[in-house]
Amino acid sequence: MKKLINDPKSVVTETVEGFGLAHQDLVTVNTDPAYLVRNDAPVQGKVGLVSGGGSGHEPLHAGYVGKGMLDAAVPGAVFTSPTPDQIIPATQAVDGGAGVVHIVKNYTGDVLNFETAAEMADAEGVPVRTVLVNDDVAVEDSLFTAGRRGVGGTVLVEKIAGAAAERGDDVDAVAAIGNRVNENVRSMGVALSSCTVPHAGEPSFDLGDDEVEIGIGIHGEPGRHRIPMEPADGIVDRLLEPVLNDLKLDDGAKVLLFVNGMGGTPASELYIAYRHAAKVLAQKGVTVERSLVGNYITALEMQGASISVLRLDDEMVELWDAPVHTAALRWGL
């Protein structure tokens, strides 16, 4: 295993420290316990947004801390949930008197720890609402979760809910728009290679040189099935078909199409995937109103991609277009 690290035990600590140094204009880092907040937190009168999860999915979540998106991010160990003693002070740090929304990917550890933190913060006088993201159509259950996993749709929930909070919506309204995004987005991914967790020192799973795993999770969880490698258009069809079957889009629907890289896939290949997905949607009478292509929620160095489709309404479009200023997303300013 070759990785640009010093010690597997210090990967998260050094990553967070380096991120804080690189983006001092955007975030402030707390080291013990570890969490990051936007520099102007708490913003008085604004609902605070907190998300987090295991490290290894960068730029999720720290890359989305800033104006128009998250107020705080809480990094756990690689592929491991953050603990309540991290989440609670992060929640308190961004409470500007209007309450806090937790955006939580549907993995058992994340759900339990954020739930505990929400209860304790609420007991301290901070009202907390939770948006649970479970957009992955690949599997109903995995080793990591009960029910569908939270994957690429998390980025879209954080952006749109973050814009709602920035414009001054109250805590229930921000949670409601976050839930509405989750209800209207579906995702599915593919792995062309495995990833290697630093402290494990070996690939999470084995794939033959001529094999791909359809429906893989962002932690290297097994997918629906393993198939021989085939051209990009065929793989995109295998990802898009279950997404569209589940979403049940009407003719004339407007969507956001998100093609995400898993960390080790060149942008050129992501655009090839986007090209075919956009053509398929057009053939079905679906208009791609907004798009996003790139590495936004990754699995370390895994080669692969995911496709997310979000059914849009006018309010979602307005909130997606609203200004955002974070390390990983930036427009409208």
Side-chain angles (χ1 to χ4, degrees):
M1 177 187 75
K2 290 186 288 187
K3 287 185 177 291
L4 197 61
I5 63 175
N6 294 308
D7 182 339
K9 296 178 181 178
S10 64
V11 165
V12 174
T13 300
E14 294 181 2
T15 297
V16 172
E17 181 181 352
F19 184 90
L21 291 170
H23 301 291
Q24 296 179 61
D25 58 322
L26 296 173
V27 302
T28 300
V29 174
N30 190 86
T31 57
D32 188 19
Y35 62 87
L36 308 91
V37 298
R38 55 189 274 182
N39 276 343
D40 57 352
V43 180
Q44 294 303 314
K46 188 188 86 69
V47 173
L49 258 68
V50 179
S51 193
S55 297
H57 305 303
E58 291 75 20
L60 198 81
H61 295 272
Y64 304 124
V65 175
K67 183 178 175 62
M69 215 160 170
L70 296 178
D71 294 87
V74 190
V78 174
F79 293 175
T80 303
S81 171
T83 58
D85 67 354
Q86 296 173 263
I87 303 167
I88 294 165
T91 300
Q92 294 169 331
V94 303
D95 174 34
V100 175
V101 172
H102 286 170
I103 298 175
V104 184
K105 301 187 302 301
N106 189 31
Y107 298 94
T108 301
D110 289 20
V111 171
L112 292 175
N113 289 346
F114 271 92
E115 185 177 76
T116 298
E119 291 173 355
M120 296 184 72
D122 194 68
E124 294 291 327
V126 181
V128 177
R129 305 291 185 268
T130 299
V131 175
L132 187 66
V133 185
N134 58 353
D135 56 308
D136 189 3
V137 301
V139 293
E140 288 296 334
D141 296 284
S142 75
L143 300 175
F144 291 78
T145 184
R148 291 181 167 179
R149 306 174 292 214
V151 288
T154 311
V155 178
L156 312 186
V157 171
E158 291 179 356
K159 170 61 183 84
I160 292 174
E166 203 71 50
R167 75 179 178 186
D169 288 15
D170 65 30
V171 69
D172 290 319
V174 172
I177 188 68
N179 283 319
R180 193 160 93 233
V181 173
N182 180 63
E183 290 163 3
N184 284 279
V185 63
R186 301 290 185 272
S187 304
M188 191 164 175
V190 60
L192 280 64
S193 70
S194 180
C195 58
T196 299
V197 176
H199 64 261
E202 58 185 26
S204 300
F205 58 93
D206 294 319
L207 265 180
D209 290 341
D210 62 344
E211 292 180 318
V212 297
E213 183 90 11
I214 300 291
I216 197 71
I218 58 173
H219 305 95
E221 308 98 308
R224 282 189 175 186
H225 47 264
R226 189 167 292 191
I227 63 168
M229 182 65 188
E230 60 186 25
D233 288 359
I235 291 175
V236 169
D237 286 336
R238 292 179 184 272
L239 301 181
L240 198 54
E241 182 179 1
V243 165
L244 297 181
N245 286 344
D246 200 279
L247 204 50
K248 296 180 174 59
L249 296 171
D250 297 326
D251 186 37
K254 297 179 180 180
V255 302
L256 186 157
L257 175 58
F258 175 25
V259 175
N260 172 66
M262 291 294 188
T265 304
S268 57
E269 296 178 23
L270 299 180
Y271 282 111
I272 289 171
Y274 180 91
R275 165 188 171 275
H276 185 64
K279 286 185 175 182
V280 171
L281 289 168
Q283 290 166 1
K284 295 181 178 295
V286 175
T287 300
V288 178
E289 193 86 353
R290 296 292 184 271
S291 60
L292 188 66
V293 181
N295 288 285
Y296 291 100
I297 172 171
T298 61
L300 295 171
E301 82 283 20
M302 181 186 287
Q303 289 180 282
S306 63
I307 295 176
S308 300
V309 178
L310 168 63
R311 180 194 287 112
L312 291 169
D313 57 37
D314 290 343
E315 184 181 25
M316 288 185 199
V317 173
E318 177 186 341
L319 292 170
W320 179 260
D321 290 344
V324 59
H325 188 186
T326 69
L329 281 185
R330 188 175 302 187
W331 59 68
L333 294 170

